[in-house]
Amino acid sequence: MQKVGIIGSASVGQTLAEGFKKHGYDVRIGSRTPAKLAEFSSKSGISAGTFADVAAWAEAVVLAVHGVAAEEALRQAGDQNLRGKVVIDATNPIADAPPIDGVLQFFTGPNESLMERLQAAHPEARFVKAFSCVGAARMVNPQFSGGKPTMFYCGNDAGAKAFVEDVLDKFGWERADMGSAAAARAIEPLAQLWCIPGFRQNSWTHALSLLWS
Ligand SMILES: NC(=O)c1ccc[n+]([C@@H]2O[C@H](COP(=O)([O-])OP(=O)(O)OC[C@H]3O[C@@H](n4cnc5c(N)ncnc54)[C@H](OP(=O)(O)O)[C@@H]3O)[C@@H](O)[C@H]2O)c1
């Protein structure tokens, strides 16, 4: 799968679009108003379209939209354009409410996840949660003196995860497969944890690492 369509036009969408391009993929990026990406397209050489244009063209999709709008963005992308495709889900279920003592508020509860909702709404798409637990600036080939950081990922489809594993290797991550889509209940809150030093100390340059003995 070489044609990667990014659904989402902000920092995560633009960063991952450039990352996939850097690693040799054919990339397009989507927005409800593609014209606003004219400057990004002219600088990056990555063309823009609507969510539906990009999803229809792509062989694999990255979802990088505002969490509260994720279901709506995929509705606009079109279920028929997602069937059978890998959907790398970088979103987090962040509520429209301020953090409490640096802890982001979620609109999901502890025994559910946004990705499971999205998977249930699009049963023939092959969702893999990834890139959700680090800041956009460190998603592509991050450099840390302590070595490679860990990307936690999960999903129900082994073939979809194999595609994402190859991407994570290229993008410079240690991989930690947490199992089925239900593990998104544990992976999505890692974004809350990752953001705490940011909100409390304005420190955003870290990543998570899992050590094995
Ligand atoms: N920022 C980070 O460092 C970071 C790191 C890890 C994970 N994440 C997660 O990645 C996702 C993207 O984050 P971000 O900071 O790049 O951008 P964002 O501001 O959370 O989302 C921007 C995107 O959401 C779309 N959107 C907003 N409202 C919409 C609606 N009502 N219907 C359809 N689409 C809508 C926008 O569409 P238009 O293009 O049409 O404006 C845009 O593409 C979020 O879920 C976030 O939690 C972010």
Side-chain angles (χ1 to χ4, degrees):
M1 286 177 280
Q2 283 302 305
K3 289 158 72 177
V4 176
I6 313 287
I7 297 176
S9 65
S11 57
V12 175
Q14 293 191 16
T15 299
L16 291 179
E18 290 183 317
F20 277 98
K21 181 158 195 259
K22 166 183 153 181
H23 287 291
Y25 295 84
D26 194 2
V27 187
R28 294 189 189 172
I29 186 167
S31 169
R32 289 167 296 171
T33 48
K36 78 178 184 186
L37 288 162
E39 190 183 336
F40 172 76
S41 292
S42 80
K43 272 198 295 194
S44 65
I46 295 168
S47 64
T50 64
F51 294 153
D53 293 335
V54 165
W57 166 86
E59 294 168 316
V61 168
V62 175
L63 183 64
V65 296
H66 202 40
V68 291
E71 290 176 275
E72 171 59 17
L74 288 186
R75 195 193 62 72
Q76 291 176 24
D79 184 61
Q80 71 284 3
N81 295 325
L82 301 172
R83 283 182 203 145
K85 296 181 182 175
V86 177
V87 180
I88 302 176
D89 174 23
T91 65
N92 284 304
I94 298 169
D96 287 331
I100 296 172
D101 292 341
V103 182
L104 283 167
Q105 299 192 59
F106 273 13
F107 59 78
T108 47
N111 294 317
E112 58 172 332
S113 65
L114 178 55
M115 190 177 83
E116 288 173 283
R117 284 191 197 179
L118 301 175
Q119 180 67 83
H122 302 278
E124 292 183 49
R126 301 186 290 150
F127 282 84
V128 180
K129 191 99 218 166
F131 295 109
S132 60
C133 61
V134 69
R138 281 165 185 80
M139 287 182 175
V140 183
N141 301 106
Q143 298 298 315
F144 289 98
S145 56
K148 288 183 184 180
T150 306
M151 183 54 68
F152 297 84
Y153 64 102
C154 69
N156 292 338
D157 186 280
K161 285 205 278 193
F163 173 75
V164 173
E165 286 159 3
D166 183 51
V167 169
L168 292 174
D169 289 347
K170 289 175 174 143
F171 282 41
W173 288 90
E174 288 292 344
R175 301 187 254 112
D177 181 354
M178 294 290 110
S180 73
R185 302 173 193 188
I187 294 176
E188 290 170 359
L190 293 177
Q192 291 173 305
L193 186 71
W194 184 85
C195 284
I196 289 173
F199 289 122
R200 288 173 60 87
Q201 292 131 27
N202 196 28
S203 174
W204 301 95
T205 57
H206 53 286
L208 305 179
S209 178
L210 182 64
L211 302 178
W212 301 93
S213 65

